[in-house]
Amino acid sequence: MICVGRGEYDKARATLKHDRVHHVGNGVDAARFASGDGAAFRAQHGIPADAIVLACYSRIDPQKDQLTLIEAFDHLAGENPKLHLVIAGPCTVADYLAQLDRRIAASPHASRIRRLGAIASTGSALADAYHGCDIFVLPSRHEPFGIVVLEAWGAGKPVVASEVGGLRTLVTEGVDGLLFPAGDAAALASRIGKLLRAPALRTAL
């Protein structure tokens, strides 16, 4: 048995009667994400060049919990007029997509939220999207690994992620990212706010 997440590995080793269990993490081609045209991505989607952009690129699915990210964004956006949010990814749960769009429409800062569809996994579009953001957020309720974190790191972006599943061992708090309790919008806003106030910390992470 091969497990991509450390949590899965630990549970399998504790549950199964044999020791043929191995942890082999996912990987990405870091060179592919090392460069990208973030300015072109922003221009394409009407995002100001001087905006501070939060981004979440993942499936539109309750598991990914983009709703909590929107709540956190609303906590911060009133005091940060340059703050923008981009959510992109393929839809896997249509009802959740409808709920997400209703929540965006209800936001007092809806004009600064972009909800995009899937970003092509071939070509430069995905790398451009990562380079078009300042902070990458993965607010998942459950996440065996979190390969988008590797992609964001490949683009040199700081990461804020929920403290669940494989993310708990993938991200080292304060070293290469910040963690928050899943589903806690106030805590997520606090972690993002910490990065907004400390550009040097964003660079270090």
Side-chain angles (χ1 to χ4, degrees):
M1 177 177 287
I2 296 174
C3 304
V4 300
R6 187 76 196 186
E8 292 175 322
Y9 168 79
D10 291 340
K11 186 172 182 179
R13 285 299 303 265
T15 303
L16 300 177
K17 297 183 184 300
H18 62 77
D19 62 359
R20 300 186 305 278
V21 182
H22 305 276
H23 175 226
V24 183
N26 283 317
V28 300
D29 179 359
R32 177 186 169 204
F33 295 96
S35 61
D37 194 340
F41 175 82
R42 291 187 178 210
Q44 178 184 358
H45 298 291
I47 301 169
D50 65 346
I52 300 172
V53 178
L54 309 177
C56 177
Y57 306 140
S58 60
R59 291 182 292 111
I60 305 300
D61 187 294
Q63 174 194 339
K64 303 300 183 179
D65 199 15
Q66 292 93 342
L67 284 170
T68 290
L69 176 53
I70 295 171
E71 293 288 342
F73 174 77
D74 277 351
H75 277 298
L76 298 164
E79 297 180 0
N80 294 270
K82 291 187 176 181
L83 195 63
H84 286 243
L85 173 62
V86 177
I87 293 172
C91 175
T92 51
V93 180
D95 288 347
Y96 183 69
L97 174 62
Q99 184 182 6
L100 198 63
D101 283 344
R102 287 193 299 270
R103 178 61 185 82
I104 292 170
S107 168
H109 313 290
S111 65
R112 289 187 270 150
I113 302 175
R114 304 288 188 279
R115 204 274 296 160
L116 311 178
I119 299 174
S121 59
T122 57
S124 64
L126 189 54
D128 292 347
Y130 280 107
H131 282 269
C133 79
D134 295 286
I135 299 169
F136 185 78
V137 184
L138 185 60
S140 303
R141 295 283 181 147
H142 167 69
E143 196 66 62
F145 184 80
I147 201 164
V148 289
V149 170
L150 299 187
E151 295 173 348
W153 281 340
K157 301 301 173 177
V159 168
V160 180
S162 52
E163 195 172 4
V164 296
L167 295 173
R168 289 178 294 189
T169 51
L170 181 61
V171 177
T172 302
E173 171 69 21
V175 176
D176 50 29
L178 299 179
L179 295 166
F180 76 98
D184 189 334
L188 175 54
S190 176
R191 304 308 267 168
I192 294 170
K194 182 176 181 178
L195 293 182
L196 295 176
R197 294 187 299 271
L201 178 59
R202 296 206 302 265
T203 300
L205 295 182

